[in-house]
Amino acid sequence: MRKPYIAANWKMNMTNQETERFINAFLPMVKGITSVDILIAPSFVSLGTASRLLESSNVILGAQDVYFEESGAYTGEISPTMLLSARCSCVIIGHSERRQYFSETDEIVNKKIKNARKNNLEVILCIGESLEEREANRTFEVLDGQLSGSLKDLSLEGMTIAYEPIWAIGTGKTASKEQANEAHAYIREWLRKNKEGADSIRIQYGGSVKPENIVDLMSQPDVDGALVGGASLKPDSFAGIVTGAAQK
Ligand code: PEP
């Protein structure tokens, strides 16, 4: 039995003050929920504020990215040690927006995961196809490439996979529960063939998840949670997703 895992990716949203207001409103809404793992990944600037407010709560602190070097002359980058010093225990790596706007390749993603895991940070690895690729029936081929490139020479320990079809991110278009489960089942099968521990790894779905569709998505056997962008920016809507997932 895999414990449902709901993660908020705030992207480039929320100041320190907004982070504080969000967390103060959100924590009472999810108080006592232990059947779902809940994570919030604010911007780097808000990690300190979030860390202080989330201490001793049931919400895990995550970051949205990490660099593949330990320290040095890499202006603007953030190391695993810095994330650990902010009491971050998890990092999102390979989000499609980083691949699209910041030219992140599977090779870079692989190096980042290795650095995060070496430092005992848990990782949410994002993969998913574009609309063009889906329409050309290349979804599985794209997933194969992203999985083998990103997970090269890595075990599944400390890993979560987020399947995020790019055409569903921030567009209001959600994959149907059948489309989501088909891709998740494919990913799990790929992991079974290539790694140890495929049956216990959690696979989140990401792409316009909201309180209205989470129960339907979670009803699928291979959907173990969600990575949430837009709907994680309001305490009541993110709490609605968490409580929906708790029904699984
Ligand atoms: C995301 O960016 O990971 C995401 C799934 O965004 P949204 O929920 O807004 O589609």
Side-chain angles (χ1 to χ4, degrees):
M1 177 69 182
R2 296 177 292 266
K3 187 174 180 184
Y5 187 6
I6 302 294
N9 172 17
W10 283 358
K11 311 190 185 189
M12 199 174 71
N13 294 295
M14 303 279 219
T15 61
N16 266 306
Q17 292 72 22
E18 289 164 339
T19 298
E20 182 154 0
R21 274 199 296 276
F22 180 105
I23 293 175
N24 284 335
F26 178 70
L27 285 183
M29 296 177 185
V30 296
K31 194 162 183 259
I33 298 184
T34 52
S35 58
V36 177
D37 281 338
I38 311 166
L39 174 139
I40 293 178
S43 74
F44 290 135
V45 169
S46 293
L47 283 175
T49 300
S51 172
R52 176 173 54 80
L53 295 165
L54 295 179
E55 204 179 350
S56 352
S57 78
N58 54 339
V59 178
I60 307 161
L61 181 62
Q64 297 175 23
D65 192 21
V66 69
Y67 197 50
F68 53 72
E69 296 288 351
E70 296 288 348
S71 64
Y74 304 103
T75 302
E77 292 296 338
I78 302 281
S79 72
T81 316
M82 291 170 184
L83 296 183
L84 291 167
S85 76
R87 289 195 288 262
C88 236
S89 56
C90 180
V91 59
I92 298 168
I93 298 181
H95 192 279
S96 62
E97 286 151 15
R98 297 222 48 92
R99 294 176 187 262
Q100 218 175 323
Y101 305 132
F102 303 98
S103 311
E104 271 192 21
T105 59
D106 290 322
E107 196 186 341
I108 294 173
V109 169
N110 179 252
K111 282 161 67 172
K112 288 185 170 186
I113 300 174
K114 283 183 177 149
N115 202 22
R117 291 301 305 134
K118 194 167 104 192
N119 286 281
N120 277 326
L121 280 166
E122 303 224 330
V123 170
I124 298 177
L125 162 65
C126 303
I127 57 173
E129 81 288 359
S130 65
L131 184 59
E132 208 180 25
E133 289 161 342
R134 175 162 281 265
E135 286 177 348
N137 283 324
R138 294 187 49 230
T139 299
F140 296 153
E141 179 196 324
V142 170
L143 296 178
D144 281 351
Q146 290 174 334
L147 286 165
S148 56
S150 306
L151 294 175
K152 187 163 183 274
D153 302 326
L154 278 160
S155 79
L156 297 183
E157 204 188 328
M159 298 290 305
T160 296
I161 308 279
Y163 166 65
E164 300 207 301
I166 298 168
W167 47 273
I169 296 182
T171 58
K173 282 187 204 155
T174 318
S176 67
K177 59 181 188 213
E178 292 82 11
Q179 281 173 324
N181 200 63
E182 182 189 38
H184 284 223
Y186 183 84
I187 291 166
R188 201 175 302 283
E189 199 46 43
W190 188 97
L191 296 172
R192 271 192 200 114
K193 283 190 195 133
N194 293 283
K195 307 275 174 190
E196 298 282 310
D199 289 301
S200 45
I201 191 170
R202 290 179 292 187
I203 306 177
Q204 298 170 322
Y205 167 78
S208 301
V209 173
K210 29 188 194 277
E212 295 75 28
N213 59 23
I214 185 69
V215 174
D216 217 25
L217 287 161
M218 292 296 290
S219 71
Q220 298 302 294
D222 279 300
V223 178
D224 307 314
L227 180 56
V228 188
S232 72
L233 296 171
K234 294 268 177 327
D236 52 348
S237 107
F238 190 49
I241 294 171
V242 171
T243 48
Q247 292 175 32
K248 180 149 181 160

